[in-house]
Amino acid sequence: MKTVSENRCFGGTQGVYSHQSEATGCDMTFGLFLPEEAEAGPVPLLWYLSGLTCTHENAMVKAGAQAWAAQQGIALVFPDTSPRGEGVADDGAYDLGQGAGFYVNATETPWAPHFQMWDYITGDLPRVLFNNFALDEERQAITGHSMGGHGALTIAMALPDRFRSASAFAPIANPTVSDWGRKQLGAYLGADEMTWRRHDATIQMHERGFDGPILIDQGADDQFLDKLMPEALAAAMMARRQPGQFRMQKGYDHSYFFVASFMEDHVSFHAEALYS
């Protein structure tokens, strides 16, 4: 692991690190905020998965999460959204290829050699984090925005014993029937739509739900509502009687201004679960 940078931040440290990933077969970069409490021993960890076109840096500098995490004594990890670098497949569109890994393990050409983002987020990166930093593996929570909200919810429901709580900002809620989803799932996973189902938060909510609490915030003026399909996930949560909240926020769009506006709520929500 290589230290790219470390800066003092709200009494703790905001670091950026790179490492060789076995899952993706290339160097990966992530941001990690450690609160001051990490100097004395392991602290809880909140994962933040970012959306289309983002790197590890977008949420790290725009979401305003460190201030609230520092108050709660919680670490934050900001992974990249895809493999990158020479020899890694890409596409001319913003919503496929580098910057758009969709948190799946690709099986199709040319994506399969590197686009193993599910294994990276659930396997490779956790090993790096817990082997190198003062983090409590027994106290984890997960959140994300847009494509990252999709990833956070599907990963949380697949690994309920790992995460105590899950939340999302404007998640891609029903990708198997959405323009943001069918293109990517078809490209990465192939034509068999049965293999797509485990990566659809609405389907997984109907089929298994989540053992802990869930918080969803969606901007009512989001310019991508037709692609996000929040009503499908809200209905699934109601049908499942899933413990949690689904909040439509009047006047808010899809931007990081929206994310930053409700970040304090999400960090506090996860802190309650992590310290319970």
Side-chain angles (χ1 to χ4, degrees):
M1 190 184 70
K2 176 184 177 182
T3 299
V4 178
S5 64
E6 288 183 335
N7 299 93
R8 198 69 172 163
C9 182
F10 293 103
T13 302
Q14 177 60 64
V16 177
Y17 309 93
S18 66
H19 68 107
Q20 176 68 27
S21 167
E22 181 179 346
T24 65
C26 64
D27 284 344
M28 298 292 291
T29 302
F30 65 92
L32 178 68
F33 170 74
L34 290 173
E36 188 174 11
E37 288 83 350
E39 297 175 9
V43 296
L45 177 63
L46 175 58
W47 292 75
Y48 183 100
L49 304 187
S50 292
L52 290 167
T53 76
C54 290
T55 69
H56 69 281
E57 189 177 38
N58 294 74
M60 191 178 79
V61 300
K62 294 180 179 180
Q66 294 93 332
W68 310 118
Q71 287 189 11
Q72 301 286 355
I74 292 173
L76 297 165
V77 62
F78 305 96
D80 203 347
T81 56
S82 78
R84 300 178 193 271
E86 186 177 352
V88 176
D90 201 7
D91 189 89
Y94 76 95
D95 58 354
L96 189 67
Q98 295 186 35
F102 241 75
Y103 304 103
V104 304
N105 285 340
T107 58
E108 303 300 300
T109 304
W111 313 108
H114 299 288
F115 280 72
Q116 303 296 309
M117 287 301 293
W118 182 280
D119 284 353
Y120 175 68
I121 295 296
T122 64
D124 269 15
L125 185 52
R127 283 191 291 271
V128 171
L129 292 170
F130 294 111
N131 285 337
N132 290 280
F133 300 98
L135 300 168
D136 186 347
E137 193 169 1
E138 299 302 315
R139 291 187 292 169
Q140 298 184 64
I142 192 167
T143 188
H145 173 228
S146 194
M147 179 185 73
H150 138 82
L153 294 174
T154 54
I155 289 171
M157 284 186 276
L159 301 172
D161 294 334
R162 182 175 300 188
F163 300 104
R164 295 193 181 186
S165 52
S167 73
F169 301 86
I172 300 175
N174 200 185
T176 59
V177 298
S178 168
D179 290 341
W180 270 357
R182 292 191 61 81
K183 172 184 176 179
Q184 293 84 359
L185 296 176
Y188 294 141
L189 302 179
D192 181 3
E193 296 188 17
M194 290 301 295
T195 66
W196 303 2
R197 295 177 63 84
R198 66 187 292 241
H199 299 292
D200 187 307
T202 295
I203 292 174
Q204 293 306 302
M205 181 58 65
H206 277 296
E207 293 185 352
R208 65 172 68 190
F210 180 62
D211 290 344
I214 285 180
L215 172 62
I216 310 293
D217 272 313
Q218 172 63 61
D221 287 1
D222 193 312
Q223 60 270 45
F224 302 114
L225 276 175
D226 290 344
K227 295 180 178 181
L228 299 170
M229 304 185 70
E231 66 281 357
L233 179 57
M237 290 176 66
M238 289 292 292
R240 184 82 191 181
R241 294 177 171 83
Q242 170 67 44
Q245 300 179 68
F246 196 113
R247 309 190 305 190
M248 293 295 290
Q249 302 291 1
K250 184 178 180 180
Y252 285 90
D253 59 14
H254 199 70
S255 70
Y256 268 101
F257 297 110
F258 158 64
V259 174
S261 296
F262 298 99
M263 181 57 70
E264 180 183 9
D265 289 357
H266 283 247
V267 173
S268 297
F269 163 78
H270 290 296
E272 183 175 353
L274 290 168
Y275 285 113
S276 65

